[in-house]
Coordinates of all heavy atoms in Angstrom, one line a residue:
D283 N -91.3 -53.4 -143.2 CA -91.4 -52.1 -143.7 C -92.8 -51.8 -144.3 O -93.4 -50.7 -144.1 CB -90.3 -51.7 -144.7 CG -89.0 -51.6 -144.1 OD1 -89.0 -51.4 -142.8 OD2 -87.9 -51.6 -144.8
D284 N -93.4 -52.8 -145.0 CA -94.7 -52.6 -145.6 C -95.8 -52.3 -144.6 O -96.5 -51.3 -144.7 CB -95.0 -53.8 -146.5 CG -94.0 -54.0 -147.6 OD1 -93.4 -53.0 -148.0 OD2 -93.9 -55.1 -148.1
Q285 N -95.9 -53.1 -143.6 CA -96.9 -53.0 -142.6 C -96.7 -51.7 -141.8 O -97.6 -51.0 -141.4 CB -96.9 -54.2 -141.7 CG -98.1 -54.2 -140.6 CD -99.4 -54.2 -141.3 OE1 -99.6 -54.9 -142.3 NE2 -100.4 -53.6 -140.7
T286 N -95.5 -51.4 -141.4 CA -95.2 -50.3 -140.6 C -95.5 -49.0 -141.3 O -96.0 -48.0 -140.8 CB -93.7 -50.3 -140.2 OG1 -93.4 -51.5 -139.5 CG2 -93.4 -49.1 -139.3
Y287 N -95.3 -49.0 -142.6 CA -95.5 -47.8 -143.4 C -97.0 -47.4 -143.4 O -97.4 -46.2 -143.2 CB -95.0 -48.0 -144.8 CG -95.1 -46.8 -145.7 CD1 -94.4 -45.6 -145.5 CD2 -96.1 -46.8 -146.7 CE1 -94.6 -44.5 -146.3 CE2 -96.2 -45.7 -147.5 CZ -95.5 -44.6 -147.3 OH -95.7 -43.5 -148.1
L288 N -97.9 -48.4 -143.6 CA -99.3 -48.1 -143.6 C -99.9 -47.6 -142.3 O -100.6 -46.7 -142.2 CB -100.1 -49.4 -144.1 CG -99.8 -49.9 -145.5 CD1 -100.5 -51.2 -145.7 CD2 -100.3 -48.9 -146.5
D289 N -99.4 -48.3 -141.2 CA -99.9 -47.8 -139.9 C -99.4 -46.4 -139.6 O -100.1 -45.6 -139.0 CB -99.3 -48.8 -138.8 CG -99.9 -50.2 -139.0 OD1 -101.0 -50.3 -139.6 OD2 -99.3 -51.1 -138.5
R290 N -98.3 -46.1 -140.0 CA -97.7 -44.8 -139.7 C -98.5 -43.7 -140.5 O -98.7 -42.6 -140.0 CB -96.2 -44.7 -140.0 CG -95.5 -43.4 -139.6 CD -94.0 -43.5 -139.7 NE -93.6 -43.7 -141.1 CZ -93.1 -44.8 -141.6 NH1 -93.0 -45.8 -140.8 NH2 -92.7 -44.8 -142.9
L291 N -98.9 -44.0 -141.7 CA -99.6 -43.0 -142.4 C -101.0 -42.7 -141.8 O -101.4 -41.5 -141.7 CB -99.9 -43.5 -143.9 CG -98.6 -43.5 -144.8 CD1 -99.0 -44.1 -146.1 CD2 -98.1 -42.1 -145.0
D292 N -101.7 -43.7 -141.3 CA -103.0 -43.5 -140.7 C -102.9 -42.7 -139.4 O -103.7 -41.8 -139.1 CB -103.6 -44.9 -140.4 CG -104.0 -45.7 -141.7 OD1 -104.1 -45.0 -142.7 OD2 -104.1 -46.9 -141.6
L293 N -101.9 -43.0 -138.6 CA -101.7 -42.3 -137.4 C -101.4 -40.9 -137.6 O -101.9 -40.0 -136.9 CB -100.6 -43.0 -136.6 CG -100.3 -42.4 -135.2 CD1 -101.5 -42.5 -134.3 CD2 -99.1 -43.2 -134.5
E294 N -100.6 -40.6 -138.5 CA -100.2 -39.2 -138.8 C -101.4 -38.4 -139.3 O -101.5 -37.2 -138.9 CB -99.1 -39.2 -139.9 CG -97.7 -39.6 -139.4 CD -96.7 -39.6 -140.5 OE1 -97.1 -39.4 -141.6 OE2 -95.5 -40.0 -140.2
E295 N -102.3 -39.0 -140.1 CA -103.4 -38.3 -140.5 C -104.4 -37.9 -139.4 O -104.9 -36.8 -139.3 CB -104.2 -39.2 -141.6 CG -105.3 -38.5 -142.3 CD -104.9 -37.4 -143.2 OE1 -103.7 -37.4 -143.6 OE2 -105.6 -36.4 -143.4
E296 N -104.6 -38.8 -138.5 CA -105.5 -38.5 -137.3 C -104.9 -37.4 -136.4 O -105.6 -36.6 -136.0 CB -105.7 -39.8 -136.5 CG -106.5 -40.9 -137.3 CD -106.6 -42.2 -136.5 OE1 -106.0 -42.2 -135.4 OE2 -107.3 -43.1 -137.0
E297 N -103.6 -37.5 -136.2 CA -103.0 -36.5 -135.3 C -103.0 -35.1 -135.9 O -103.2 -34.1 -135.3 CB -101.5 -36.9 -135.1 CG -101.4 -38.1 -134.2 CD -99.9 -38.5 -134.0 OE1 -99.1 -37.9 -134.7 OE2 -99.6 -39.3 -133.1
K298 N -102.9 -35.0 -137.2 CA -102.9 -33.8 -137.9 C -104.3 -33.1 -137.8 O -104.4 -31.9 -137.5 CB -102.6 -34.0 -139.4 CG -102.5 -32.7 -140.2 CD -102.0 -33.0 -141.6 CE -102.0 -31.7 -142.4 NZ -101.6 -31.9 -143.8
I299 N -105.4 -33.9 -138.0 CA -106.8 -33.4 -137.9 C -107.0 -32.9 -136.5 O -107.6 -31.8 -136.2 CB -107.8 -34.4 -138.3 CG1 -107.6 -34.8 -139.8 CG2 -109.2 -34.0 -138.0 CD1 -108.4 -36.0 -140.2
S300 N -106.7 -33.6 -135.4 CA -107.0 -33.2 -134.1 C -106.2 -32.0 -133.7 O -106.7 -31.1 -133.0 CB -106.7 -34.4 -133.1 OG -105.3 -34.7 -133.2
S301 N -105.0 -31.9 -134.1 CA -104.1 -30.7 -133.7 C -104.7 -29.4 -134.4 O -104.7 -28.4 -133.7 CB -102.7 -31.0 -134.1 OG -102.6 -31.1 -135.5

Side-chain angles (χ1 to χ4, degrees):
D283 286 345
D284 296 338
Q285 184 64 33
T286 303
Y287 180 70
L288 294 174
D289 294 340
R290 189 169 63 253
L291 287 176
D292 295 339
L293 182 60
E294 289 178 355
E295 186 68 23
E296 291 176 359
E297 289 178 352
K298 184 177 179 181
I299 294 170
S300 63
S301 63

